[in-house]
Amino acid sequence: SAALGQSYSLTCEFSSGSVSAYQWRKGDTVLSETGQTLSFSSLRLTDAGQYICQVTVDGMMLSSPPQDISLTS
C-alpha cells in the first residue's frame, strides 16, 4: 500500500522478446502513459485501483499480471 500524497511508480517488466510498445490500463480505461514505468508524483484517492500493462512483443499483445495501488491516509 501507499500513502496519499506520496510519489509512486509501477514498472512493466517482460523477460522474453523485444517490447515494441507499452500501454497502461486502469480497469477498462486506457491511460496516456506509453512507457515502461507509470509514475505518480502525488497519489490521490482516484489513483487507487488495479493497473495492467499491455505490451507488444514480436507482434503479439501480452498483458502483465495486475498491479494494485491501495492507499492509506
Side-chain angles (χ1 to χ4, degrees), residues 21-53:
Y22 293 90
Q23 181 180 73
W24 287 91
R25 300 176 79 87
K26 180 183 178 194
D28 292 330
T29 303
V30 176
L31 305 178
S32 61
E33 179 60 51
T34 57
Q36 184 176 9
T37 302
L38 178 62
S39 297
F40 302 86
S41 59
S42 179
L43 286 171
R44 300 173 300 193
L45 285 174
T46 56
D47 295 324
Q50 190 173 79
Y51 293 80
I52 293 174
C53 174

